[in-house]
């Protein structure tokens, strides 16, 4: 039972038309009444109504700000507790002073995400839904936002809960057969049923896991890294995609020394594009660090754009880069095609060399080939078609990891059933899978993990 009352400024810091201070907990209503002077005297306050008046310091009734206040009676509130919201003028001072008098009345300053955490602890949202709230707040594209809204409405939770429920009832049966070992026949039935239900659950988990790759990309954006040897046109490519002169472009090899990151929206998908220092063996200390950073950026890339200068021969440095990236999702960009008199011939050669990767001929100096590159990216990552947002999609690494562990446990279980392992041992794997799935929706989750999840939220949410 939560018995303290929390308060925080729920609107972002800075200047705005209005700013809101939110109070939640058993003392919310009494604190609200103490700090507010209604325009007209009120004996009874209606829930979910907006009242006009002034925020005052209860000590001496000095007026702090003109405001609107609402009292929302539990359980139909964000936290399922009594909630009061004060709409002040949206400046730093009115909000800080209002919060100050609220705290002086006995409320405690809320931790980041604590309102949403209460919604979770009071059973209004499960953990995956609570995480969706922050996903919506942080969404940078419409797609990311739709994913968050779907998750908030319980799309993912329902599927996970259904699988978990099946496994839970199976576990109950298995445990019953352990408790009554004299029923040999029970054991036999259990064994067959375990095998078939495990198989079905595995298929459902696989189905969810299959959405995870695209789910993350749709939510967070595609981590795209531009690499190549110096002076081939990497920074020119970044600028062309951004349609602005973001990175310095010169004809001096080694112009870019640091990694540079920018975001664009490509047909609804967010792309985080990283321009890197040209990779080559160098004695220059600064450039060396740049090259190391380029190589590091490659490790976490979802997509690599490998830029080569098509007017030049392939170099040893490029050979090494290619070794590094050949097995990863990558597109080869044959730049400076304008310098060639026989571009088709050269492109045919490159096509052979980089098979089966896609090659896009570009002239970044003349802004040619951008459309083709955008198409190539869609083809590489989404097989040409940007996937639709499904009602249940895995978009968080935490969920993916839990599903993967549940899958492992069920695979172990399948093996053990086949090997004729005693039923009581099967219960262990089953139990693990149930726990893992429970971590997603929060049925089985430690207080530490919950705290960690909510600590990434903003104050006042
Ligand atoms: N002719 C021609 N020149 C180009 C083209 N694209 C880029 N350049 C020139 O090539 C030079 C290097 O371009 P950058 O974009 O700075 O190359 P980079 O790969 O970022 O180079 P570093 O940062 O040094 O690794 C500049 O002088 C560009 O104007 C092109 O398509 N055709
Ligand atoms: Mg550069």
């Amino acid at each position: 039972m939560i018995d303290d009352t929390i308060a925080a400024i729920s609107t972002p810091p800075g200047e705005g038309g209005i700013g809101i201070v939110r109070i939640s907990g058993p003392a919310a209503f009494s604190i609200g009444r103490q700090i507010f002077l209604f325009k007209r005297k009120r004996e009874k306050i209606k829930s979910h109504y907006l009242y006009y008046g002034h925020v005052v310091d209860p000590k001496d009734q000095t007026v702090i700000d003109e405001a609107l206040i609402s009292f929302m009676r539990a359980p139909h509130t964000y936290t399922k507790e009594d909630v009061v919201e004060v709409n002040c003028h949206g400046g730093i001072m009115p909000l800080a002073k209002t919060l100050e008098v609220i705290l002086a009345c006995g409320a405690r300053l809320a931790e980041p995400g604590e309102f949403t955490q209460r919604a979770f602890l009071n059973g209004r949202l499960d953990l995956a839904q609570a995480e969706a709230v922050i996903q919506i707040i942080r969404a940078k594209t419409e797609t990311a936002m739709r994913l968050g809204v779907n998750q908030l409405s319980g799309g993912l939770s329902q599927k996970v809960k259904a699988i978990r429920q099946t496994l839970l009832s199976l576990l109950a049966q298995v445990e019953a057969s352990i408790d009554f070992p004299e029923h040999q026949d029970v054991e036999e039935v259990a064994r067959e049923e375990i095998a078939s239900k495990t198989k079905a659950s595995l298929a459902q988990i696989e189905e969810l896991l299959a959405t995870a790759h695209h789910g993350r990309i749709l939510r967070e954006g595609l981590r795209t890294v531009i690499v190549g040897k110096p002076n081939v046109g990497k920074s020119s490519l970044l600028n062309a995609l951004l349609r602005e002169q973001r990175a310095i472009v010169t004809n001096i090899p080694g112009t870019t020394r640091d990694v540079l990151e920018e975001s664009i929206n490509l047909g609804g998908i967010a792309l985080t594009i990283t321009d890197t220092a040209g990779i080559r063996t160098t004695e220059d200390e600064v450039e060396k660090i740049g090259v190391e950073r380029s190589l590091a950026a490659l490790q976490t890339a979802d997509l690599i754009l490998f830029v080569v200068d098509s007017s030049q021969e392939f170099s040893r440095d490029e050979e090494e880069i290619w070794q590094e990236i050949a097995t990863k999702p990558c597109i080869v960009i044959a730049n400076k095609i304008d310098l060639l008199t026989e571009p088709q011939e050269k492109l045919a050669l490159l096509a052979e060399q980089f098979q089966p990767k896609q090659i896009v001929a570009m002239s970044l100096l003349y802004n040619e080939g951008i459309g083709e590159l955008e198409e190539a990216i869609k083809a590489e990552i989404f097989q040409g078609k940007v996937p639709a947002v499904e009602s249940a999609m895995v978009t968080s690494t935490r969920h993916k990891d839990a599903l993967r562990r549940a899958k492992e446990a069920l695979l172990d279980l399948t093996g053990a059933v086949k090997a004729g392992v005693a039923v009581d041992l099967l219960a262990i794997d089953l139990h693990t899978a149930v726990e893992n799935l429970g971590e997603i929706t929060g049925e089985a989750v430690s207080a530490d993990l919950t705290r960690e999840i909510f600590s990434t939220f903003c104050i006042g949410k």
Side-chain angles (χ1 to χ4, degrees):
M1 194 46 211
I2 304 165
D3 56 10
D4 60 348
T5 298
I6 53 173
I9 300 170
S10 283
T11 38
E15 292 178 11
I18 55 167
I20 299 176
V21 182
R22 178 150 63 178
I23 318 170
S24 177
F29 276 34
S30 80
I31 295 174
R33 273 182 168 280
Q34 287 173 65
I35 59 114
F36 200 76
L37 196 65
F38 291 87
K39 178 89 193 315
R40 264 182 284 143
K41 208 170 157 40
R42 304 263 169 199
E43 287 310 319
K44 262 186 78 122
I45 293 170
K46 274 198 213 167
S47 184
H48 294 79
Y49 258 69
L50 215 49
Y51 292 102
Y52 171 74
H54 289 88
V55 177
V56 293
D57 187 337
K59 270 204 321 277
D60 49 15
Q61 300 295 304
T62 23
V63 172
I64 290 169
D65 193 11
E66 181 189 34
L68 292 174
I69 193 168
S70 58
F71 292 77
M72 290 169 276
R73 181 66 79 190
H76 299 294
T77 65
Y78 187 72
T79 54
K80 265 191 140 183
E81 302 173 338
D82 283 350
V83 169
V84 170
E85 284 180 7
V86 188
N87 298 229
C88 316
H89 288 110
I92 296 167
M93 281 322 287
L95 287 166
K97 289 298 287 179
T98 302
L99 178 64
E100 196 181 302
V101 291
I102 290 170
L103 297 181
C105 289
R108 165 173 71 71
L109 185 65
E111 312 261 333
E114 200 171 357
F115 292 98
T116 311
Q117 185 176 10
R118 288 192 170 192
F120 164 64
L121 293 172
N122 293 324
R124 194 177 73 79
L125 299 173
D126 67 38
L127 200 52
Q129 288 175 309
E131 287 172 293
V133 171
I134 199 70
Q135 197 167 318
I136 293 171
I137 292 175
R138 302 231 165 105
K140 296 277 186 300
T141 58
E142 214 178 308
T143 316
M145 157 120 186
R146 274 224 306 287
L147 284 169
V149 171
N150 283 349
Q151 191 170 314
L152 179 61
S153 60
L156 176 69
S157 304
Q158 275 166 20
K159 287 210 171 166
V160 172
K161 279 181 184 160
I163 306 172
R164 186 168 180 269
Q165 203 48 52
T166 308
L167 296 176
L168 256 182
S169 58
L170 198 55
L171 184 62
Q173 256 172 293
V174 169
E175 277 170 351
S177 75
I178 296 169
D179 293 342
F180 305 102
E182 63 277 16
H183 297 300
Q184 273 299 313
D185 51 331
V186 172
E187 165 147 342
E188 280 323 303
V189 173
R191 201 171 277 280
E192 246 171 56
E193 208 175 330
I194 294 170
S196 74
K197 286 200 172 149
T198 304
K199 196 168 162 214
S201 302
L202 262 175
Q204 286 170 296
I205 291 177
E206 294 276 10
E207 205 174 287
L208 283 177
L209 275 173
T211 68
H213 181 61
H214 287 163
R216 187 186 62 71
I217 291 172
L218 290 178
R219 179 166 87 112
E220 286 178 6
L222 189 72
R223 288 188 296 249
T224 310
V225 177
I226 305 174
V227 289
K229 69 170 193 179
N231 218 36
V232 290
K234 298 180 296 301
S235 300
S236 304
L237 176 59
L238 176 80
N239 292 347
L241 287 170
L242 289 174
R243 290 164 175 89
E244 80 178 83
Q245 299 304 315
R246 173 72 181 83
I248 300 173
V249 168
T250 74
N251 59 3
I252 305 161
T255 298
T256 307
R257 293 299 183 91
D258 211 341
V259 291
L260 220 121
E261 205 178 273
E262 284 295 331
S263 295
I264 60 159
N265 188 331
L266 183 100
I269 325 156
L271 246 63
T272 320
I273 311 174
T274 309
D275 178 23
T276 62
I279 297 177
R280 65 170 165 186
T281 328
T282 169
E283 288 310 314
D284 183 304
E285 279 304 316
V286 181
E287 200 180 348
K288 245 188 209 167
I289 299 170
V291 170
E292 274 163 29
R293 291 191 178 177
S294 306
L295 293 170
L298 284 181
Q299 303 310 319
T300 53
D302 295 314
L303 173 67
I304 296 161
L305 301 177
F306 180 30
V307 185
V308 300
D309 180 340
S310 46
S311 70
Q312 287 188 8
E313 292 303 312
F314 206 53
S315 73
R316 278 235 7 229
D317 286 329
E318 284 174 312
E319 187 59 53
E320 277 172 26
I321 303 171
W322 179 242
Q323 293 298 327
E324 184 77 23
I325 64 177
T327 55
K328 300 181 178 166
C330 98
I331 296 170
V332 179
I333 289 160
N335 189 32
K336 308 201 186 183
I337 204 82
D338 54 283
L339 296 177
L340 299 177
T341 41
E342 303 277 356
Q344 288 314 322
E345 220 167 274
K346 179 74 184 196
L347 283 176
L349 265 173
L350 289 172
E352 197 156 318
Q353 182 173 5
F354 293 113
Q355 229 181 12
K357 299 289 183 196
Q358 297 188 80
I359 299 183
V360 180
M362 297 186 93
S363 170
L364 289 163
L365 190 63
Y366 298 103
N367 248 317
E368 280 167 25
I370 299 289
E372 286 83 348
L373 175 61
E374 290 182 353
E375 286 310 310
I377 292 176
K378 283 185 199 158
E380 178 70 24
I381 302 299
F382 302 117
Q383 285 75 50
K385 210 169 121 255
V386 177
V389 171
E390 292 165 39
S391 62
M393 259 185 138
V394 180
T395 61
S396 114
T397 327
R398 191 182 82 78
H399 300 164
K400 183 178 164 188
D401 180 56
L403 282 169
R404 231 181 359 216
R405 281 182 282 119
K407 179 182 151 181
E408 291 288 311
L410 292 183
L411 285 175
D412 285 351
L413 180 62
T414 314
V417 173
K418 276 206 191 106
V421 169
V423 169
D424 49 349
L425 290 177
L426 300 182
I428 299 174
D429 288 328
L430 211 42
H431 198 81
T432 308
V434 167
E435 287 268 302
N436 292 154
L437 294 174
E439 280 176 30
I440 297 173
T441 44
E443 276 108 340
V445 74
S446 70
D448 279 349
L449 181 62
T450 325
R451 213 170 304 125
E452 198 184 310
I453 289 169
F454 287 103
S455 70
T456 64
F457 276 51
C458 28
I459 285 242
K461 188 64 230 181

